Amino acid sequence: MPTDGEAAEDRAADTLHGLVELRARQAPQAVAVRCGDAELTYGELDARADALARHLAARGLAPGGRAAVALGRGTQVYVALLAVLKAGAAYVPLEPSAPDALLRHVLADAAPDLVVTEESHRVRLTDAGPAKIVCLDTADLAEAPSGPPEAPTGPADLACVLYTSGSTGLPTGALVEHRNLLSAYRGWREVYGLSPADRILQTSSLEFDVFTADWVRALGSGATLVVAPRNLTLDRTADLAGLPALVAAEGITVLELNARLARRLAAHLARSGEPRTGEPRAGEPLAGTPLPGVRLLTVGAEKWYLDEQLGLQRLLGDGTRVLNVYGLAEAGVDSTYFDARGTAATEDGERVSLVGRPFPGTRVYVVGPDGTPVPPGQAGEIAIAGGGLGRGYLDRADDTRHRFVRADFDPDGRVLLTGDIGRLRDDGVLEFLGRAAHVVGPVPFARKAAVVSRVAAAARAEGRLRAHPAVREAVVVELELRPGRRSLVGYAVTAPDADGADGWSLSQYLAAELPVGDAPEAVVPVPELPRTRAGKLDRAALPLPAPPKHTAAGSAKAGSRAGKGGGGKAGGGRGGTSDLPGCLVFGCAVFFSLMAWVSTDLFFPGATQLGAVPDAYHFWFELLYLCENLAFGAGVAFLFFGFPAVLRQGRSYRLSLLTYLSVVWLLASWWPQDNLYRLTDATDWPRETAMVFTFNVPLMAAALVVLVFLIRRPTDRR
């Protein structure tokens, strides 16, 4: 734990780089960052960051500006982050191996003044955005003056723009100030007991908020940050069997994993045998334990159940403290923690996720639909307040206004509505129930209350589904399976060849275990749950359940097929027009195309006559008429079968309905429109005007609706 003198020195540092500069003055020879055989001491890190900061300032990075940092694993990325801060600017962490679409989105949205990277990434990043490129491996820093540039920076200045990792939709830039991360650091240091003796393992990717949290925790406390050679968050093939050896070789004392990696680690340790139990003597390394020397392991990023936490605590032994942490990038990364030590295994351990109490400097509330705190035991939306609360979202005033709201019950008068649902237990411990992003914003009281109730019901169903002996991992989410009606759907990763693991049997099990109305409409067995780049549940990639059958036997067969194929006909995700056979949709389009062809002379006599057209152009006009008829048939087919496909894209119901009708009009209107135009005299101005406003103006409006639909983010996103 820090002494009073150390704590006073920490408080004197009002910026992140100022805190690291303090550590460099105190212990310049101490190792700050280590990656493989490469090391940087605090003195070297600070000096290199000074030189690079002056170089960046000379290249046009001004105080108050933004610089994207896109570097691979190694020691140089921390030099770059500190250099941007020393220049008085804010950094935008950008994983250089990210997909092109993500690179383009972040660079366009953040609009950085320059990008700090390496020559190996120059081409991709130049193609992705117009910002200046500074490559560390070719930049000449030898002539840079010593000392940091003259760039006064205060605690209220922007430190970084952290792009939240979405489960649906594109990431959003959260504006985080120096004081926000300094407040979070002080809470971490007090709860985690961080000291210069610690060696903290960095396993995450640059683009995620936990990466920033790791380096702030390590370099802020004078500890050594050890960079794992492989990116365990993004590398889904990484073998966790090598993690204990890495921990032992590097003397790791603190590490953080996401819930997915924690589950994989627990499975590996369970296969490897039982650990030694009992408290070690002071200073004694934990030889013989699965992760020797690790005194603290934190798990976050996703719902993690109490039985999982207790199981990992048992596997690691009493000498390792296992915490379940919860928070958002917008509020300083981590807001609450739960320590499982001393907690006895309970019957409801597989049904509850306890995220505990607030870190020092943070306040957490559970609020009702009217925006005021609810009594203990009642479900509501989790709201966060305190020093970690950021500025809002980059260039998204509406999102900032709807989520960062005034609150008379908080001392600062401002809280973040998280979109997460939870409840405060009688003992003050926060229980996490689930995600309901569509609760946030100007939502009517009754609708908001109903959504909170449904999320609580989904949490109960998910807990029961996890309790089934054949289920290894499960989730229950709310989806709009039919227009205007949202339903609960369960997804289960089952043990191979387990009894009762088909969808119908699991649905019947939940129907018997849960109150009427709480059971999911269907349960879909899947080989694994889809994940985002951050390792979180990817809701947009969940397969839709197969259409319901009318008999129990038929349902059982459908569930069995879903278990083998990842969801039956829905296993392909959301790409189809509906759950009907494709041949039926195609047949409908062809039928109405033929109907348009044979009906043209009936409704528009003479419209397709080519007597006045030169023979050389006959083919092109006949092709035009054919395309008009095909477009009409496709429009009618989309009218019958297209609405479910539009709804699955996750936009609001009203926008989805308008887009659906717009697509129908864009396709179907060509047949009557062109035929009428061909039958109208060019000087018949009343009829010409009527047709322009009947057809052309609605076509432009329909195209605009489709454009809004394409650029609008899904309503249920993380």
Side-chain angles (χ1 to χ4, degrees):
M1 296 294 289
T3 65
D4 292 341
E6 290 172 333
E9 287 182 320
D10 288 354
R11 288 192 293 271
D14 57 6
T15 62
L16 294 174
H17 55 282
L19 187 59
V20 179
E21 290 168 353
L22 174 63
R23 302 304 176 213
R25 291 194 299 270
Q26 292 172 337
Q29 300 305 315
V31 177
V33 183
R34 174 177 168 80
C35 181
D37 295 329
E39 288 185 347
L40 283 179
T41 66
Y42 274 89
E44 292 169 336
L45 175 65
D46 191 50
R48 293 188 186 187
D50 283 345
L52 180 57
R54 286 189 174 274
H55 180 76
L56 297 180
R59 291 294 304 273
L61 183 60
R66 292 192 290 269
V69 175
L71 292 164
R73 305 186 75 73
T75 59
Q76 287 297 94
V77 63
Y78 306 97
V79 174
L81 296 176
L82 287 172
V84 172
L85 296 176
K86 284 172 177 280
Y91 70 81
V92 182
L94 184 61
E95 174 58 45
S97 65
D100 288 342
L102 181 58
L103 291 178
R104 292 177 184 276
H105 167 72
V106 173
L107 289 176
D109 193 69
D113 301 297
L114 50 82
V115 178
V116 183
T117 185
E118 298 167 317
E119 283 292 343
S120 59
H121 306 303
R122 175 192 285 275
V123 174
R124 287 191 74 217
L125 293 169
T126 301
D127 182 62
K132 298 178 184 176
I133 303 292
V134 176
C135 295
L136 292 191
D137 46 354
T138 56
D140 184 8
L141 305 182
E143 301 300 323
S146 61
E150 296 295 331
T153 309
D157 287 320
L158 194 65
C160 54
V161 182
L162 300 178
Y163 275 80
T164 59
S165 51
S167 57
T168 59
L170 290 170
T172 302
L175 303 172
V176 182
E177 300 170 350
H178 283 266
R179 59 185 173 186
N180 304 142
L181 286 172
L182 286 172
S183 176
Y185 162 73
R186 295 178 186 117
W188 288 321
R189 184 168 186 180
E190 181 175 336
V191 173
Y192 294 173
L194 300 174
S195 76
D198 279 315
R199 295 174 68 86
I200 300 176
L201 185 64
Q202 167 71 267
T203 65
S204 184
S205 175
L206 171 63
E207 65 188 299
F208 303 134
D209 57 1
V210 69
F211 183 97
T212 289
D214 277 341
W215 81 253
V216 170
R217 285 190 286 250
L219 303 183
S221 57
T224 298
L225 183 66
V226 179
V227 182
R230 299 185 70 175
N231 188 330
L232 297 182
T233 303
L234 295 182
D235 189 350
R236 304 296 170 83
T237 64
D239 185 3
L240 287 189
L243 183 60
L246 175 65
V247 164
E250 295 289 351
I252 301 301
T253 60
V254 176
L255 75 154
E256 176 162 338
L257 301 174
N258 62 36
R260 175 181 174 273
L261 287 174
R263 292 184 180 108
R264 291 183 60 200
L265 176 63
H268 167 71
L269 296 180
R271 292 192 300 267
S272 302
E274 295 295 323
R276 184 190 70 179
T277 59
E279 290 285 354
R281 294 190 298 273
E284 177 190 1
L286 299 182
T289 62
L291 299 181
V294 174
R295 64 173 185 82
L296 175 68
L297 189 155
T298 61
V299 178
E302 194 180 29
K303 192 174 188 179
W304 199 43
Y305 282 88
L306 178 59
D307 66 322
E308 296 177 304
Q309 185 178 3
L310 291 172
L312 187 55
Q313 179 71 75
R314 179 182 60 81
L315 288 166
L316 295 179
D318 300 331
T320 302
R321 190 180 177 201
V322 178
L323 302 183
N324 187 9
V325 296
Y326 163 81
L328 282 75
E330 299 94 313
V333 185
D334 292 329
S335 297
T336 69
Y337 68 97
F338 181 73
D339 192 336
R341 292 185 304 177
T343 301
T346 61
E347 291 183 355
D348 63 351
E350 58 197 1
R351 299 195 295 271
V352 300
S353 175
L354 302 182
V355 293
R357 304 177 187 278
F359 281 89
T362 300
R363 297 176 296 278
V364 175
Y365 307 94
V366 175
V367 300
D370 61 349
T372 61
V374 299
Q378 183 174 327
E381 186 172 1
I382 300 173
I384 302 174
L389 206 60
R391 190 182 294 180
Y393 299 104
L394 178 63
D395 295 333
R396 285 173 169 80
D398 286 344
D399 286 350
T400 300
R401 184 174 65 255
H402 294 155
R403 297 194 64 179
F404 292 80
V405 301
R406 294 188 57 82
D408 295 336
F409 54 82
D410 182 77
D412 293 341
R414 181 170 177 258
V415 300
L416 167 68
L417 296 177
T418 64
D420 292 326
I421 307 303
R423 66 165 62 93
L424 280 173
R425 293 154 64 108
D426 291 336
D427 57 3
V429 171
L430 179 64
E431 178 184 350
F432 178 75
L433 296 178
R435 178 72 181 162
H438 51 287
V439 173
V440 181
V443 180
F445 184 100
R447 182 182 165 199
K448 211 168 187 181
V451 171
V452 172
S453 176
R454 290 198 298 271
V455 171
R460 290 191 293 271
E462 184 173 302
R464 289 293 182 183
L465 186 56
R466 290 187 73 249
H468 192 283
V471 174
R472 297 190 298 190
E473 193 175 357
V475 66
V476 175
V477 299
E478 189 183 39
L479 301 175
E480 193 163 20
L481 300 180
R482 285 174 291 281
R485 179 183 173 189
R486 302 186 69 87
S487 304
L488 295 181
V489 179
Y491 297 87
V493 179
T494 58
D497 302 322
D499 292 335
D502 60 88
W504 183 81
S505 298
L506 292 174
S507 297
Q508 295 304 302
Y509 159 77
L510 290 180
E513 291 284 328
L514 294 167
V516 176
D518 276 6
E521 184 165 318
V523 176
V524 182
V526 291
E528 63 178 352
L529 295 175
R531 299 288 177 182
T532 65
R533 287 172 55 82
K536 300 179 181 180
L537 176 70
D538 188 352
R539 292 171 179 250
L542 288 169
L544 292 176
K549 304 297 181 181
H550 297 291
T551 65
S555 298
K557 291 178 182 178
S560 179
R561 287 195 299 272
K564 294 178 181 178
K569 295 184 185 297
R574 314 272 174 106
T577 309
S578 72
D579 291 324
L580 293 170
C583 60
L584 179 59
V585 180
F586 179 75
C588 177
V590 171
F591 173 78
F592 281 100
S593 297
L594 292 174
M595 289 294 296
W597 186 275
V598 300
S599 302
T600 299
D601 288 337
L602 175 63
F603 292 105
F604 311 105
T608 58
Q609 290 182 1
L610 300 176
V613 177
D615 292 344
Y617 293 94
H618 279 202
F619 168 78
W620 299 109
F621 277 90
E622 289 172 348
L623 179 62
L624 173 64
Y625 302 155
L626 174 63
C627 292
E628 289 173 355
N629 294 326
L630 291 174
F632 179 79
V636 177
F638 195 79
L639 176 67
F640 289 150
F641 306 118
F643 195 35
V646 179
L647 286 173
R648 290 171 195 166
Q649 307 311 309
R651 275 69 171 182
S652 69
Y653 182 82
R654 181 179 300 176
L655 179 59
S656 297
L657 179 61
L658 286 174
T659 302
Y660 158 71
L661 296 175
S662 297
V663 173
V664 172
W665 182 253
L666 284 168
L667 289 170
S669 65
W670 292 109
W671 175 61
Q673 173 190 221
D674 274 9
N675 282 302
L676 286 172
Y677 270 115
R678 286 191 290 268
L679 294 174
T680 302
D681 189 274
T683 59
D684 188 351
W685 297 114
R687 190 170 182 181
E688 288 278 352
T689 303
M691 285 194 297
V692 165
F693 281 90
T694 301
F695 290 103
N696 289 15
V697 172
L699 281 172
M700 290 183 282
L704 182 61
V705 169
V706 173
L707 177 63
V708 172
F709 180 86
L710 291 174
I711 65 177
R712 180 70 59 88
R713 296 188 305 278
T715 56
D716 181 16
R717 60 184 176 86
R718 176 74 171 185

